[in-house]
Amino acid sequence: MLSIETIRNETDRVKKSIADRGLTGNIDRIIELDVRRREIIAETDALRARRNEVSGSLGRSKEKPPELIAEMREVGSRIKQLEGDLRDVVGEYDALLLDVPNIPEDAVPVGDDDSHNIVVKTIGSPPDFSFEPKPHWELGEALDIIDFRRAVKLSGSRFYIFKGKGATLQRALITWLLDTHVNEFGMQELYVPHMVTRQSATGSGQLPKFADTMYHDEEDDLWMIPTAEVPITNIHADEILDPGVLPLKYVAHSPSYRREKAAAGRDTRGIKRVHQFEKVEMFRFTEPQDSPAALDEMVADAEELCSRLGLHHRLLLQCTGDLGFASIKTYDVELWAPGSGDWLEVSSVSNCTDFQARRAKIRYRAEEGARPQLAHTLNGSGLGIPRTLIAIMENYQQADGSIAVPEVLRPYTGFDVIESAS
């Protein structure tokens, strides 16, 4: 959430940032409500001060002047009316504030959609096949490691079942990623709830904007997480962190649940766009001056994982139209999938500055006795599992239809190749 001071003092900049994202926002209405909110508070405070003054005077006096009694009745009625007005104003004011996205960094290119993202660099080369590479859905079904038909029977479209060595490969990838993050990148592993409260989903920025893409239990008002970012963001909600605690570096594996409404009709084959998938999430809490360097470090970690898997990949800087709601700057790491003929985003690493921290009230003290200030939050996939598996299957496929296992994963799978059982 942006501060009202930013909206008040940098109105044109805020309006431009919203327009650059291709969004609309009612900034003028927010400012109007802010003025009215402060007017009501000032009048209410003045009336309460007058009531306290008169009450004290009446308490000390034997005389009870009728005019003062009448005035106090009017004051009480007016305060009650103002309290109701304030509730209405603040309700609309808060709702509009929650709809205002973060302000993109100046270095972020302006563009309407992901076609305007900028390729920063490309690492490695695509494999040189002596045969026509197949897409992962054909490989998976031929090797009997993915079952789409029975998944549809269980849950409908955009679900899948990994079987046998396919399920083992997924588990191996997740375990290797977690081990690397913890043992080499210095992160603390978390296991987080897969459902969160409305307050938590609001604190991370998913609500209210993305309510239609989240799964919701109406009876208990719990929301299934679209990423472990949501619960991790709120771990330190309503806390003041002690001096010297930051940075905090967390990693968590979780399933992710998303309604792919926005992608209707796109990528319907295979496991690229599905309603339930696994992901390993990187997350950091930092002091404000440290978040730009933390973003670079997290991007480097995501790239390193792709390199160790031996996968051709590239790094993109997102444009304003593709930028996440809470982010000021985001880099995408994409893997090449030769069978699908597609670049697959396996990590988006974002600096959200104090946007989430303001919503979730996450503060820290720079030193003992210092005034609390808002922390910065950063998040990124490290990595998204289905798309990484797509890239592995399609890049490591062999002429005989088998799939070689990347060397770094072999100690975790216990086998070097996935081949047909027939």
Side-chain angles (χ1 to χ4, degrees):
M1 185 165 62
L2 294 183
S3 69
I4 186 58
E5 290 78 17
T6 297
I7 294 174
R8 216 186 275 146
N9 300 329
E10 303 179 57
T11 305
D12 290 343
R13 179 171 174 245
V14 173
K15 287 181 176 179
K16 181 180 184 303
S17 76
I18 294 172
D20 286 346
R21 286 173 172 270
L23 303 175
T24 58
N26 202 339
I27 299 302
D28 290 335
R29 179 59 176 164
I30 291 175
I31 293 172
E32 178 184 322
L33 290 167
D34 176 51
V35 171
R36 179 60 185 145
R37 178 182 66 91
R38 287 184 288 158
E39 289 175 346
I40 293 172
I41 291 171
E43 184 180 351
T44 303
D45 288 347
L47 289 172
R48 285 175 177 154
R50 173 60 178 163
R51 183 168 63 183
N52 291 339
E53 175 190 355
V54 172
S55 295
S57 174
L58 289 175
R60 292 188 299 270
S61 174
K62 294 181 180 180
E63 299 285 332
K64 309 293 182 187
E67 61 273 15
L68 284 181
I69 300 296
E71 180 188 349
M72 289 303 98
R73 289 198 187 99
E74 292 179 6
V75 166
S77 296
R78 179 58 177 162
I79 289 174
K80 186 175 181 180
Q81 178 186 347
L82 288 171
E83 288 173 341
D85 292 345
L86 185 62
R87 282 193 296 272
D88 293 341
V89 168
V90 168
E92 182 182 357
Y93 170 81
D94 287 346
L96 290 176
L97 275 179
L98 290 175
D99 278 335
V100 180
N102 209 346
I103 300 174
E105 188 180 284
D106 291 341
V108 172
V110 176
D112 296 334
D113 52 40
D114 59 7
S115 64
H116 294 89
N117 292 346
I118 294 176
V119 177
V120 178
K121 59 181 175 178
T122 302
I123 301 92
S125 302
D128 185 15
F129 293 107
S130 60
F131 57 92
E132 185 71 23
K134 296 178 180 179
H136 68 281
W137 56 84
E138 291 184 14
L139 290 166
E141 290 188 319
L143 293 171
D144 196 28
I145 60 172
I146 304 179
D147 191 330
F148 294 107
R149 182 177 61 83
R150 289 185 174 92
V152 169
K153 179 174 66 174
L154 294 176
S155 306
S157 62
R158 295 190 186 267
F159 288 91
Y160 60 94
I161 296 171
F162 268 128
K163 300 169 60 178
K165 288 186 175 180
T168 302
L169 180 64
Q170 173 173 272
R171 174 162 49 86
L173 176 60
I174 293 167
T175 305
W176 172 73
L177 289 170
L178 288 172
D179 283 354
T180 305
H181 281 295
V182 172
N183 299 329
E184 298 188 42
F185 299 164
M187 307 182 81
Q188 180 181 0
E189 184 178 354
L190 301 175
Y191 177 79
V192 295
H194 300 166
M195 303 181 79
V196 295
T197 64
R198 179 179 294 271
Q199 182 177 355
S200 291
T202 302
S204 62
Q206 266 63 40
L207 293 180
K209 183 172 178 59
F210 302 107
D212 63 342
T213 65
M214 295 178 70
Y215 287 100
H216 181 217
D217 171 38
E218 294 186 6
E219 184 174 351
D220 293 323
D221 195 20
L222 290 173
W223 298 76
M224 300 186 77
I225 61 172
T227 163
E229 171 199 345
V230 180
I232 298 176
T233 301
N234 291 277
I235 281 178
H236 297 295
D238 300 308
E239 293 183 17
I240 300 176
L241 302 172
D242 292 334
V245 168
L246 298 178
L248 290 169
K249 303 178 182 181
Y250 294 127
V251 63
H253 156 248
S254 76
S256 299
Y257 305 94
R258 298 183 189 177
R259 301 175 66 196
E260 284 286 349
K261 290 179 61 176
R266 292 180 56 192
D267 307 309
T268 55
R269 300 199 69 178
I271 62 174
K272 180 180 176 181
R273 290 188 182 274
V274 288
H275 297 305
Q276 175 189 323
F277 59 95
E278 308 296 303
K279 188 149 77 81
V280 173
E281 183 77 11
M282 306 180 286
F283 199 97
R284 291 198 192 186
F285 296 91
T286 74
E287 296 190 25
Q289 70 274 12
D290 297 330
S291 66
L295 178 66
D296 293 339
E297 291 174 11
M298 293 171 71
V299 170
D301 288 349
E303 288 187 88
E304 177 64 17
L305 295 167
C306 296
S307 292
R308 292 190 190 185
L309 288 167
L311 296 171
H312 176 45
H313 59 282
R314 67 182 185 179
L315 180 67
L316 292 85
L317 176 61
Q318 283 190 0
C319 71
T320 53
D322 197 30
L323 199 62
F325 183 75
S327 176
I328 69 160
K329 188 177 186 180
T330 296
Y331 288 99
D332 283 348
V333 180
E334 295 184 340
L335 296 176
W336 174 245
S340 306
D342 196 10
W343 285 101
L344 307 176
E345 174 216 306
V346 294
S347 181
S348 284
V349 188
S350 302
N351 185 356
C352 298
T353 60
D354 61 5
F355 189 85
Q356 293 174 319
R358 180 173 287 105
R359 293 167 79 116
K361 299 180 177 63
I362 305 164
R363 297 178 292 168
Y364 76 100
R365 296 187 197 274
E367 56 187 34
E368 291 293 342
R371 182 178 179 181
Q373 55 185 308
L374 293 169
H376 278 199
T377 61
L378 302 96
N379 67 82
S381 306
L383 304 163
I385 302 305
R387 295 180 182 184
T388 303
L389 288 172
I390 291 173
I392 290 172
M393 293 171 65
E394 295 189 7
N395 281 278
Y396 281 90
Q397 61 181 295
Q398 310 296 302
D400 63 358
S402 64
I403 299 171
V405 176
E407 188 173 345
V408 293
L409 299 184
R410 292 176 185 178
Y412 293 86
T413 59
F415 50 82
D416 299 348
V417 65
I418 299 174
E419 52 194 352
S420 177
S422 60

